[in-house]
Amino acid sequence: MGVPFADLQLQYQNIKGEIDGAIAAVIRDNAFIRGPYVDAFEREFADVAEAKHCISCANGTDALYLAMAALKVKPGDEVITTAHSWISTSAMITHAGATPVFCDTDGVTFTIDPRAIEAAITPRTVGIIPVHFYGQPADMDAIMAIAAKHKLWVIEDCAQAHLARYKGRQVGSFGVAATYSFYPGKNLGAMGDAGAIVTNDDGIAEHMTMLARHGGLIKHQHQIEGINSRLDGLQAAILSAKLPHLPAWTRARQEAANVYDAGLNQIEDVTVPEVASGRSHVYHLYTIRHPRRDTLAAHLSANGVQTAVYYPTVLPLLPAYSRFQHRPEDFPNAAGDQGKILSLPMFAEITADQQAQVIDLIKAFH
């Protein structure tokens, strides 16, 4: 019996009545754009994120753009971010008008190295975007200390870290704003694209709301030039139906990670994810390192186990950033991970038998 990388159909079947009811309610009320279901989800997610404001938008990529646009990022500015992330993190720096400056990861947690941040700061630096990668928080104490020292803003990219905590505190509550993706495969996923920004700053919240709604808070009253980045009612209702299950899903992922850890951490050449002290990992992805990653992945695939690589090329080495002329040795940890990282099946509903199959196959490979 094969093991899928994720099983969104199983998640849906487990709460089918709630999802179908939420969709039917939106259709019944013709509440497709904005409306009560979007308003309700924004309130609910703000509470979960322990934030004063939640501004929903079309996707996690737009969330990053809206946050930077509200902070009035401009040409000539530099924004520091990690070398290892999805391209939305860095591309939105460019689209907001600034220049992305990449920093290496710490070599252990896959998150940005605060020492590299300090070394990358110039008089043009205006902000830092740490990514809570794979579901593990970045080192926020060190990052916030650097930001305070140099008077920089911080936007937390929480796209993979719903409900993760750093020293007991919710990720997303450290910086001036935090961005979330609700892409279907995320720990809290819609059935289409969806995103949000959370913040405790009233002024920034209002500005981001206007930006996302064609530049106004009231229809036809455009205070500024904005964009069209709205969460639709169907996705909001689906997310509201799923949100109460998120804590239990998170615990299930963490328990599954413990099973993997126990089964894999004594196998030669397998490096299981290391969780730094004071950080809670929510395991959007369970990612191991292996020196023969491609051969191992082929072995697992041949035996019905789906795996994935997130991401095969680090950001500064992509063709999109050839203008910077970066080399792998500029980012030894992130670039060194490119050929080693492998994400194993991970979802809240994964069974003990499925995990045993994955573990036994990796043992057999060795």
Side-chain angles (χ1 to χ4, degrees), residues 158-285:
C158 301
Q160 299 185 359
H162 310 70
L163 297 191
R165 303 186 82 87
Y166 178 88
K167 296 185 177 179
R169 185 171 163 185
Q170 182 77 42
V171 296
S173 66
F174 293 86
V176 67
T179 63
Y180 286 86
S181 167
F182 305 118
Y183 183 80
K186 293 295 196 287
N187 292 25
L188 177 65
M191 290 183 167
D193 267 327
I197 316 106
V198 299
T199 184
N200 291 319
D201 188 300
D202 296 346
I204 290 174
E206 181 175 280
H207 196 71
M208 288 189 292
T209 303
M210 287 195 293
L211 283 168
R213 303 182 195 175
H214 292 293
L217 300 175
I218 301 172
K219 193 172 184 179
H220 304 305
Q221 295 185 22
H222 309 285
Q223 306 300 315
I224 57 175
E225 290 182 313
I227 63 173
N228 179 18
S229 182
R230 296 175 297 204
L231 175 65
D232 67 68
L234 284 169
Q235 300 304 338
I238 290 165
L239 289 167
S240 285
K242 287 187 173 188
L243 188 57
H245 299 280
L246 183 58
W249 290 342
T250 301
R251 289 191 296 272
R253 285 175 177 270
Q254 291 168 334
E255 290 165 5
N258 290 337
V259 171
Y260 274 142
D261 286 349
L264 298 174
N265 64 11
Q266 298 302 317
I267 301 176
E268 186 179 1
D269 287 340
V270 174
T271 303
V272 300
E274 184 171 331
V275 183
S277 176
R279 308 188 207 183
S280 72
H281 200 317
V282 297
Y283 296 99
H284 170 58
L285 297 168

Side-chain angles (χ1 to χ4, degrees), residues 89 92 109 129 141 176 211 214 218 224 229 270 295 304 307 358:
T89 309
M92 290 307 100
T109 68
I129 304 181
D141 279 352
V176 67
L211 283 168
H214 292 293
I218 301 172
I224 57 175
S229 182
V270 174
T295 310
T307 62
V358 176

Side-chain angles (χ1 to χ4, degrees), residues 288-333:
I288 63 171
R289 293 179 177 93
H290 195 283
R292 292 180 288 152
R293 187 270 312 283
D294 293 340
T295 310
L296 175 59
H299 165 72
L300 291 170
S301 177
N303 287 279
V305 173
Q306 295 179 352
T307 62
V309 177
Y310 292 96
Y311 300 95
T313 305
V314 293
L315 294 172
L317 302 184
L318 288 168
Y321 297 107
S322 59
R323 64 188 183 275
F324 297 127
Q325 299 183 313
H326 285 305
R327 301 170 299 172
E329 50 265 38
D330 296 333
F331 311 95
N333 294 325

